[in-house]
Amino acid sequence: MSNIENLFDINKVLRSSFLTLKNTNTEKKIDLIFEMDTTIPRELRGNDIVFERLLTTILTFIYQNTHSHEILLSLSAPEDFLYEEFISFKIKNSEIPREKILAFLETGLGNTLQTLEGKIVNDKEVDIHLEIPFTIGELGFRRHYRLPTKSMLDKKVLLIVKSENLGRSITKMFKYFPYDVEVKHTENGVDLSVYDLLIIEENLVNESFIKKVQEIQEKENLKFVILGAGQVSVNTAGAVVYTHLLKPVTQESIFELILSIFDANAKSMKVKPTPVESINIERNVDTAYIPKTPTFQDNSQESSALSHLIEEKKGKHTFVLDTRQGLENAKKMGATYSDALEEFLDSFGKSDLYFRQIANEKSSHKIKEFCIDLEKQAKLIGAEGMLKFTDIISLIFVYDKLDMLPIYPGRYHMELQKLIGEIKKYLHIR
């Protein structure tokens, strides 16, 4: 392994690499799909900064040279991820000439793959095949996503998408829990009444389909979700849309989707353990799902547990700006620390106004994307206080307590002002 080991969420690294290239992606209209095996741990230990740089370099090459409008990045790992294992990353059907790909693999990756102690696999069936060793985040922790209650398990899902790759990848992610997923490429002739959850791509939605959904929702508790990039305006008047699932989908975004749309059922049952002490579902075990811990009996206890977790995080000592860590991070990225600080000021100097707006709107996907961007930049410069802030916002989403958001624009403003003050002091800016 590389000599730098941080604990990181692989879903966030994948999403962050995508967001770095979001403008290019939008311009070329490329649909990036992550196909994640259920064996991929949620949390890993390794050099996540270099890992993200490697992914971004590869995707940049693909975006610049492909003529395809769909790129599939497949991730797989051994069934028993006990300690340190290789995770396999594959890209195929990129429509890029083989000789151009080989030239890129020989020279285009620089020292990043070597730093990660990864290797290029000679595989004629795929365009790019890399294997990189990572250590599991927590030894013996085989189940990486835990649903709070038994009532959230075993739902029946209808997925209506154009792409076979997209359908297969999302199906694999839902089956982790396990959900019964049926994939269709059109809504014609489908009986919607037999499903708990309906997910359809935004460009497949039409007026007659919305009417059909509305009729079913008047009789059945059908959860309706729109899948897309969040850039297409979809007229869903008449039907209840529970949320939007943003592309590219990761295992964690499916997990968060289930929490957000089925949490109401859990609350009505008045049963919800803490995320740390939730149901542990072991893979390939046919026994009943048994809660391992006491459950909360009402929402006040649930809120109390969340408040306790937030106070714990707030109580941990952190630096507003750890310049030593920031200098190390910038060096690994091949950047100067002062440039990284100036870039943060340019990007987030007045972001408290934007955060207040999206928090007032309770726009889940905008807040999540904002926090991913903020976390990435804060981590680079060593802004520990800001990282603690994004962790707290994540807890609010896990517990689906968006009613707590109104107090956080003010707290973000104060945290941002402290950080800007430290940055200006370092840069000798008045």
Side-chain angles (χ1 to χ4, degrees):
M1 286 286 292
S2 55
N3 55 9
I4 302 296
E5 284 203 2
N6 300 315
L7 182 66
F8 67 93
D9 185 328
I10 192 169
N11 299 272
K12 290 182 178 179
V13 173
L14 291 171
R15 186 73 185 167
S16 183
S17 295
F18 163 76
L19 289 173
T20 301
L21 299 167
K22 191 172 181 180
N23 291 337
T24 306
N25 183 76
T26 303
E27 181 183 328
K28 299 196 73 172
K29 297 181 179 178
I30 296 174
D31 205 3
L32 178 61
I33 300 171
F34 297 131
E35 184 176 38
M36 305 178 70
D37 278 1
T38 56
T39 54
I40 301 293
R42 182 186 194 180
E43 289 191 332
L44 295 165
R45 292 186 184 277
N47 194 328
D48 55 320
I49 295 175
V50 176
F51 173 46
E52 183 178 326
R53 186 168 68 202
L54 177 70
L55 282 180
T56 304
T57 300
I58 292 170
L59 291 176
T60 299
F61 167 77
I62 296 292
Y63 281 19
Q64 289 175 345
N65 294 280
T66 187
H67 296 292
S68 174
H69 290 290
E70 179 179 277
I71 297 300
L72 179 69
L73 173 57
S74 301
L75 287 73
S76 60
E79 180 67 28
D80 292 319
F81 204 116
L82 299 177
Y83 178 62
E84 181 181 285
E85 304 288 350
F86 279 96
I87 294 183
S88 179
F89 301 85
K90 298 179 182 178
I91 294 177
K92 57 182 179 181
N93 300 327
S94 65
E95 299 182 8
I96 302 174
R98 183 71 179 169
E99 59 274 12
K100 197 166 190 175
I101 291 175
L102 292 175
F104 165 73
L105 292 175
E106 286 178 8
T107 60
L109 298 179
N111 295 323
T112 52
L113 188 61
Q114 183 180 353
T115 301
L116 295 168
E117 296 189 1
K119 59 185 179 182
I120 299 169
V121 179
N122 186 13
D123 187 345
K124 293 182 180 179
E125 294 184 2
V126 300
D127 296 339
I128 295 176
H129 184 178
L130 305 179
E131 288 187 347
I132 303 172
F134 289 103
T135 304
I136 195 167
E138 183 179 345
L139 294 180
F141 187 45
R142 295 181 62 209
R143 194 69 190 178
H144 313 296
Y145 302 87
R146 301 181 178 189
L147 295 176
T149 68
K150 183 176 168 182
S151 65
M152 293 184 181
L153 302 171
D154 298 304
K155 303 295 183 182
K156 191 172 178 64
V157 181
L158 175 62
L159 178 62
I160 305 177
V161 294
K162 283 184 178 180
S163 164
E164 291 184 6
N165 285 331
L166 182 59
R168 184 179 66 251
S169 67
I170 295 179
T171 297
K172 188 178 291 185
M173 294 174 193
F174 269 114
K175 285 190 174 180
Y176 186 98
F177 292 102
Y179 277 29
D180 181 14
V181 184
E182 188 171 353
V183 180
K184 299 285 186 182
H185 302 299
T186 175
E187 47 85 17
N188 294 334
V190 177
D191 180 7
L192 300 180
S193 65
V194 300
Y195 300 98
D196 300 295
L197 170 61
L198 162 66
I199 301 175
I200 184 171
E201 275 190 284
E202 56 193 2
N203 53 6
L204 296 178
V205 178
N206 56 52
E207 189 175 335
S208 63
F209 180 73
I210 292 299
K211 186 177 180 181
K212 188 187 295 185
V213 173
Q214 181 184 6
E215 291 172 354
I216 295 298
Q217 285 184 330
E218 289 172 357
K219 305 172 186 176
E220 307 288 343
N221 188 18
L222 176 65
K223 311 291 187 183
F224 179 31
V225 173
I226 302 292
L227 169 66
Q231 297 172 336
V232 178
S233 177
V234 179
N235 184 6
T236 56
V240 178
V241 179
Y242 280 79
T243 189
H244 287 72
L245 179 60
L246 293 180
K247 294 180 180 179
V249 179
T250 64
Q251 183 69 69
E252 188 149 314
S253 58
I254 292 296
F255 172 64
E256 290 177 347
L257 174 71
I258 293 171
L259 287 179
S260 67
I261 63 177
F262 290 117
D263 189 50
N265 291 341
K267 286 177 181 175
S268 67
M269 293 174 64
K270 295 185 179 180
V271 177
K272 188 170 183 178
T274 67
V276 177
E277 300 176 328
S278 43
I279 298 171
N280 185 10
I281 313 163
E282 288 295 341
R283 200 176 288 113
N284 300 324
V285 177
D286 294 325
T287 55
Y289 302 123
I290 303 172
K292 300 174 70 175
T293 61
T295 56
F296 295 132
Q297 296 301 313
D298 54 43
N299 288 341
S300 64
Q301 284 182 285
E302 177 185 323
S303 298
S304 176
L306 175 56
S307 298
H308 177 70
L309 288 172
I310 289 175
E311 288 305 315
E312 268 192 353
K313 285 190 175 293
K314 287 167 65 177
K316 290 182 179 178
H317 172 73
T318 54
F319 293 102
V320 174
L321 184 65
D322 186 346
T323 54
R324 180 192 59 80
Q325 186 62 56
L327 283 163
E328 287 183 12
N329 293 342
K331 185 177 179 181
K332 292 171 203 161
M333 293 292 290
T336 62
Y337 187 46
S338 58
D339 286 346
L341 291 173
E342 288 175 358
E343 184 178 344
F344 184 91
L345 288 178
D346 288 342
S347 300
F348 293 97
K350 297 181 179 179
S351 60
D352 48 346
L353 300 176
Y354 176 69
F355 183 72
R356 182 177 297 279
Q357 175 189 332
I358 59 178
N360 289 338
E361 294 171 357
K362 293 186 178 179
S363 178
S364 298
H365 70 277
K366 287 182 181 178
I367 294 171
K368 287 178 184 177
E369 290 217 346
F370 174 81
C371 286
I372 288 171
D373 280 347
L374 176 61
E375 183 182 48
K376 177 183 175 183
Q377 294 298 321
K379 187 174 185 178
L380 173 61
I381 66 174
E384 292 184 351
M386 197 58 81
L387 287 173
K388 185 163 64 175
F389 177 84
T390 59
D391 282 345
I392 290 172
I393 298 298
S394 296
L395 279 174
I396 290 171
F397 276 101
V398 168
Y399 275 83
D400 192 22
K401 290 291 182 180
L402 298 187
D403 55 316
M404 295 178 67
L405 279 175
I407 66 172
Y408 281 93
R411 293 183 180 180
Y412 176 63
H413 171 75
M414 289 188 290
E415 189 64 46
L416 182 63
Q417 291 308 306
K418 286 192 292 183
L419 179 56
I420 289 174
E422 291 296 311
I423 291 174
K424 287 184 175 180
K425 188 188 301 182
Y426 183 89
L427 295 174
H428 304 292
I429 299 175
R430 291 185 178 180

